[in-house]
Amino acid sequence: MIELEQKIGYTFRNRQHLETALVHSSYANESKTEISNNERQEFLGDAVLSVIVSDYLFKRVLLPEGDLTKIRAAVVCETSLAEFAGQIGLGNYLRLGKGEEANGGRNRPSILADAFEALIAAIYLDGGFKAAAKFVLPFASRSIEHIENASFHDYKTQLQEIVQKNPEEKVSYVLTGERGPDHDKWFEVEVRLNSNVIGRGQGRSKKAAEQQAAREALALMGK
């Protein structure tokens, strides 16, 4: 347990929350003594995770509601959560029934994803929302940035293709501001057509900010 606490960067005051998060229903069903499985904590963790990711997206990603919903769905899906669990080796700490163990349950995405949500709930129950968010956001923010870059990378290209139809026109991107500590920078960029500002964007990287500026420019052009 201490090793896992070190990995997740959180020390429990009530370690029972952590122990319950690691108990799969197959283990509880086979146990000769009554023991709680992690399904109720999984339910709570799912809700806490959704609020954390939604709050982050609302404050940091300047996209319409439909796009935010798609990004959130990708971050909290089983595949992503199983990957997060794998990054901390969560499967090694699970308590599984003999059958589930024999069938490779420690590496099963559904089990890992559920356990990760149960772990979020455990931290929330023990330390509150702020502690849960501190645990979740390093995973979620990296995932969000990757999704943004993969999904919205063509705005600059699309804008450039439009501008190239007029050889005398030139597009440039200008960094107008940055704030925050090194590990959590926030960049502001303007896109200019010749010397005229046609769009502004913000993002956790210069690239992301440029994409959002290009997106705004395209919207102003009716594209």
Side-chain angles (χ1 to χ4, degrees), residues 38-193:
N38 64 9
E39 291 178 352
R40 282 173 53 82
Q41 285 191 191
E42 173 210 334
F43 165 79
L44 177 60
D46 177 72
V48 174
L49 172 64
S50 182
V51 173
I52 292 171
V53 173
S54 298
D55 180 71
Y56 181 88
L57 287 170
F58 180 80
K59 292 177 178 176
R60 296 299 188 93
V61 180
L62 302 180
L63 288 173
E65 181 268 343
D67 289 334
L68 295 180
T69 299
K70 291 176 182 177
I71 294 174
R72 181 181 61 192
V75 174
V76 304
C77 72
E78 179 181 293
T79 300
S80 294
L81 297 182
E83 182 180 330
F84 300 160
Q87 291 175 24
I88 58 174
L90 188 58
N92 297 327
Y93 303 95
L94 298 181
R95 301 171 76 178
L96 304 174
K98 294 178 181 178
E100 201 63 67
E101 180 83 63
N103 290 324
R106 292 190 186 279
N107 298 311
R108 184 169 297 160
S110 60
I111 291 178
L112 290 173
D114 290 349
F116 191 82
E117 289 182 328
L119 178 58
I120 293 171
I123 296 173
Y124 170 76
L125 290 168
D126 193 74
F129 184 83
K130 188 174 181 179
K134 184 178 180 181
F135 168 65
V136 168
L137 285 177
F139 298 99
S141 61
R142 288 193 296 269
S143 180
I144 289 167
E145 185 169 357
H146 174 75
I147 293 167
E148 280 189 283
N149 290 338
S151 300
F152 307 110
H153 69 279
D154 61 341
Y155 290 137
K156 286 180 66 177
T157 299
Q158 188 177 348
L159 178 61
Q160 189 64 37
E161 289 174 349
I162 292 172
V163 173
Q164 283 176 344
K165 294 177 182 178
N166 299 302
E168 70 278 6
E169 305 286 2
K170 181 181 178 181
V171 169
S172 61
Y173 294 86
V174 179
L175 180 66
T176 57
E178 59 181 273
R179 63 181 186 272
D182 289 341
H183 69 278
D184 190 24
K185 284 286 187 183
W186 194 243
F187 298 90
E188 299 175 352
V189 167
E190 289 181 349
V191 57
R192 298 176 182 177
L193 183 62

Side-chain angles (χ1 to χ4, degrees), residues 1-8 18-24 27 38 85-96 101 106 111-112 115 119:
M1 293 294 183
I2 294 176
E3 181 182 2
L4 180 56
E5 287 178 326
Q6 291 174 342
K7 285 186 177 182
I8 66 177
L18 175 59
E19 292 177 355
T20 299
L22 302 176
V23 177
H24 188 256
Y27 182 91
N38 64 9
Q87 291 175 24
I88 58 174
L90 188 58
N92 297 327
Y93 303 95
L94 298 181
R95 301 171 76 178
L96 304 174
E101 180 83 63
R106 292 190 186 279
I111 291 178
L112 290 173
L119 178 58

Side-chain angles (χ1 to χ4, degrees), residues 9-22:
Y10 182 81
T11 301
F12 284 83
R13 290 171 292 187
N14 182 352
R15 197 168 283 173
Q16 184 60 52
H17 296 310
L18 175 59
E19 292 177 355
T20 299
L22 302 176

